[in-house]
């Protein structure tokens, strides 16, 4: 394997894989030594069209010739076009553009507070979120995140957040308090272990929110932009939120975030109430427009290949006792193990396959929507080899 890579001047906030990626195309990346890897991480669900998609690249290159940045004090055609595409293809009426998932969630929390304080008065400021959720790393979004390991050492946390267990119908009666302004959740919890929302639970939650005029906010930062086979994961459930946040897949790897809201919810953010310098900049929104157009074409393929991946993973589960469950929707899948997943992820890397961790014991697969049956088979075959070798090893040690 690679020798130690020097990162002395980079803050050690990431436990990095011992790999330096220098090139990508489609489902593959190459390291600095010329080794090729099948990438089922997609930059953590970001390069949904695969690496260096030609359509996106051509549009961005043309925009690089014309204008890079001009600030939101001016009208930006690609920003308008992307907002139209997002609202034409979702429940939403209005969009605010920013630069990341955390910034989108931060803005959605601000929107919800301001909306509730206009409609209900100053006591309605609490945001309900869920255990093992992930919403970002800013002070408000790490507070929204229901994981103590993300919050550790950053006290005092932002006030006004409450946590409930995910997928637990019983505890939903805690939602309808006069102090609640919004409920924020991932339709499939990503970082927390690839946990899809239960349909009845989400329906009940949506009903409670409607009855009490509580804004329902879906964090689709990871699930959005075709990941589950539909453009947005909420379509899989037939439940629409009031607000949705996007980021990861929206720019094919260029940094962009978005808050999509209904006309009614969006009224809370009037002129001067929110802003960001780079948000919706000509380059990233050009990438966003090209991404949306391309992803829309790939949705039927993503649905089919997602079903194929699910089927293959379930076969894998039936073959090895080490696998406790397989869960997810479309091309967002988790292999839940009885033991830790890190070792298997490293072994896959030795076989030139890149996969992700989610929670301590879940292998997370986020292949591009453009992936093929052959690529899925390659990943499954490698996992079979790894699990077989592990079984032999543990038999030998008995
Ligand atoms: C990645 C992620 C975020 C944070 O996005 P950043 O762009 O890293 O700030 C928020 N919510 C979910 C569900 C995510 O997966």
């Amino acid at each position: 394997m690679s020798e130690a890579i020097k990162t002395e001047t980079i803050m050690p906030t990431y436990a990095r894989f011992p790999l330096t990626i220098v090139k990508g195309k489609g489902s593959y990346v190459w390291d600095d030594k010329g080794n090729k890897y099948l990438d089922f991480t997609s930059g953590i669900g970001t390069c949904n069209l695969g690496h260096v998609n030609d359509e996106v690249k051509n549009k961005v290159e043309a925009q690089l010739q014309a204008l890079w940045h001009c600030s939101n004090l001016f009208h930006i055609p690609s920003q308008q076009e992307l907002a139209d595409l997002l609202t034409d293809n979702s429940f939403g009426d209005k969009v605010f553009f920013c630069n990341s998932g955390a910034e989108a969630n931060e803005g959605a929390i601000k929107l919800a507070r301001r909306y509730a304080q206009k409609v209900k008065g100053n006591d309605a400021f609490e945001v309900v979120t869920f255990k093992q959720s992930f919403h970002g790393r800013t002070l408000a979004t790490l507070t929204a995140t229901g994981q103590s390991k993300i919050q550790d050492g950053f006290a005092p946390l932002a006030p006004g957040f409450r946590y409930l267990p995910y997928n637990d119908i019983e505890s939903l009666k805690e939602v309808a308090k006069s102090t609640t302004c919004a409920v924020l959740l991932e339709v499939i919890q990503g970082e927390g272990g690839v946990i899809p929302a239960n349909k009845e639970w989400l329906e009940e939650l949506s009903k409670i929110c409607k009855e009490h005029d509580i804004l329902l906010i879906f964090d689709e930062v990871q699930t959005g932009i075709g990941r589950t086979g539909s453009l947005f994961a909420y379509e899989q459930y037939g439940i629409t939120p009031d607000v949705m946040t996007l980021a990861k897949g929206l720019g094919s790897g260029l940094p962009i975030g978005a808050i999509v809201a209904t006309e009614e919810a969006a009224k809370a953010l009037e002129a001067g109430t929110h802003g960001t310098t780079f948000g919706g900049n000509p380059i990233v929104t050009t990438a966003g427009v090209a991404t949306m157009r391309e992803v829309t074409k790939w949705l039927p393929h993503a649905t089919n290949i997602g079903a194929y991946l699910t089927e293959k993973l379930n076969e894998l589960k039936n073959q090895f006792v080490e696998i406790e469950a397989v869960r997810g929707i479309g091309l967002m899948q988790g292999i839940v193990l009885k033991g830790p997943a890190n070792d298997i992820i490293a072994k896959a890397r030795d076989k030139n396959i890149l996969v992700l961790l989610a929670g301590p014991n879940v292998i997370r697969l986020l292949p591009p929507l453009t992936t093929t049956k052959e690529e899925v088979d390659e990943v499954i075959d490698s996992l079979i080899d790894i699990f077989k070798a592990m079984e032999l090893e543990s038999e030998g040690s008995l």
Side-chain angles (χ1 to χ4, degrees):
M1 274 309 298
S2 318
E3 64 275 17
I5 293 158
K6 294 196 176 74
T7 55
E8 278 142 6
T9 50
I10 309 262
M11 287 196 195
T13 56
Y14 282 92
R16 290 170 199 265
F17 295 148
L19 274 191
T20 304
I21 302 296
V22 294
K23 194 177 105 174
K25 191 68 193 168
S27 302
Y28 292 91
V29 292
W30 285 260
D31 71 10
D32 54 349
K33 297 177 185 71
N35 299 309
K36 185 181 179 185
Y37 297 83
L38 177 51
D39 181 12
F40 267 35
T41 75
S42 305
I44 317 188
T46 294
C47 305
N48 287 6
L49 293 167
H51 292 279
V52 194
N53 174 275
D54 284 328
E55 301 297 323
V56 180
K57 186 183 74 173
N58 292 341
K59 293 280 168 17
V60 169
E61 277 179 352
Q63 185 60 46
L64 279 168
Q65 303 297 329
L67 180 72
W68 294 8
H69 184 75
C70 68
S71 96
N72 284 304
L73 298 174
F74 301 90
H75 293 287
I76 300 172
S78 54
Q79 187 180 118
Q80 183 58 58
E81 198 178 346
L82 184 54
D84 289 349
L85 278 171
L86 287 169
T87 53
D88 286 349
N89 289 286
S90 77
F91 69 92
D93 306 306
K94 302 270 187 204
V95 184
F96 176 88
F97 289 108
C98 54
N99 308 285
S100 70
E103 195 187 351
N105 285 331
E106 184 90 20
I109 293 164
K110 281 180 67 180
L111 182 155
R113 289 245 171 103
R114 207 160 192 281
Y115 174 84
Q117 286 172 32
K118 291 186 138 194
V119 176
K120 296 179 171 178
N122 285 336
D123 290 338
F125 59 83
E126 277 190 322
V127 179
V128 172
T129 69
F130 295 90
K131 303 223 166 102
Q132 81 272 324
S133 59
F134 183 80
H135 298 295
R137 300 289 195 154
T138 65
L139 198 49
T141 59
L142 78 83
T143 307
T145 293
Q147 300 188 55
S148 52
K149 71 163 198 246
I150 305 282
Q151 299 173 340
D152 183 48
F154 298 115
L157 300 180
F161 290 85
R162 262 191 305 129
Y163 313 92
L164 293 179
Y166 193 71
N167 276 341
D168 182 68
I169 292 231
E170 196 43 33
S171 62
L172 284 182
K173 51 183 187 293
E174 303 289 316
V175 170
K177 292 192 170 157
S178 61
T179 51
T180 309
C181 73
V183 178
L184 167 64
L185 75 140
E186 298 154 89
V187 178
I188 307 170
Q189 290 190 327
E191 308 297 315
V194 191
I195 308 169
N198 172 292
K199 190 156 193 275
E200 292 74 54
W201 174 76
L202 202 55
E203 278 167 356
E204 179 64 17
L205 176 58
S206 162
K207 202 176 99 204
I208 294 170
C209 287
K210 280 205 174 68
E211 273 166 17
H212 295 86
D213 201 6
I214 292 165
L215 291 185
L216 184 60
I217 308 173
F218 286 169
D219 176 346
E220 291 236 26
V221 168
Q222 192 163 150
T223 52
I225 320 300
R227 180 59 37 209
T228 64
S230 50
L231 201 46
F232 308 110
Y234 73 79
E235 297 168 58
Q236 304 277 342
Y237 289 81
I239 297 166
T240 54
D242 303 291
V243 180
M244 158 174 82
T245 54
L246 298 170
K248 291 192 165 89
L250 184 55
S252 287
L254 296 198
I256 182 169
I259 308 169
V260 180
T262 61
E263 180 89 48
E264 172 66 15
K267 278 183 189 151
L269 293 184
E270 303 131 326
T273 57
H274 195 48
T276 181
T277 297
F278 293 119
N281 135 322
I283 302 293
V284 297
T285 46
T286 295
V289 168
T291 300
M292 282 288 286
R293 294 201 188 286
E294 282 307 296
V295 163
T296 307
K297 293 183 202 157
W298 279 96
L299 291 177
H301 175 81
T303 299
N304 290 338
I305 203 80
Y308 183 71
L309 175 63
T310 308
E311 178 193 320
K312 288 284 152 189
L313 287 173
N314 278 301
E315 282 172 25
L316 188 74
K317 184 192 78 178
N318 294 336
Q319 211 177 330
F320 297 102
V321 289
E322 171 61 17
I323 303 175
E324 197 167 275
V326 167
R327 62 191 179 208
I329 303 177
L331 294 171
M332 179 166 182
Q333 295 288 335
I335 306 170
V336 187
L337 304 175
K338 294 196 172 131
N342 255 335
D343 188 34
I344 294 170
I345 291 168
K347 284 179 172 148
R349 199 164 57 237
D350 290 342
K351 293 182 181 294
N352 294 50
I353 304 248
L354 304 180
V355 294
L356 290 161
L357 184 71
N361 64 337
V362 180
I363 301 170
R364 179 174 31 155
L365 306 179
L366 299 173
L369 314 186
T370 53
T371 194
T372 62
K373 276 190 171 176
E374 289 70 33
E375 289 165 359
V376 169
D377 288 344
E378 191 182 334
V379 170
I380 297 288
D381 289 345
S382 297
L383 289 172
I384 290 174
D385 289 347
I386 292 166
F387 282 115
K388 272 193 182 149
M390 282 171 59
E391 282 188 349
L392 282 177
E393 233 170 78
S394 66
E395 277 165 27
S397 67
L398 286 179

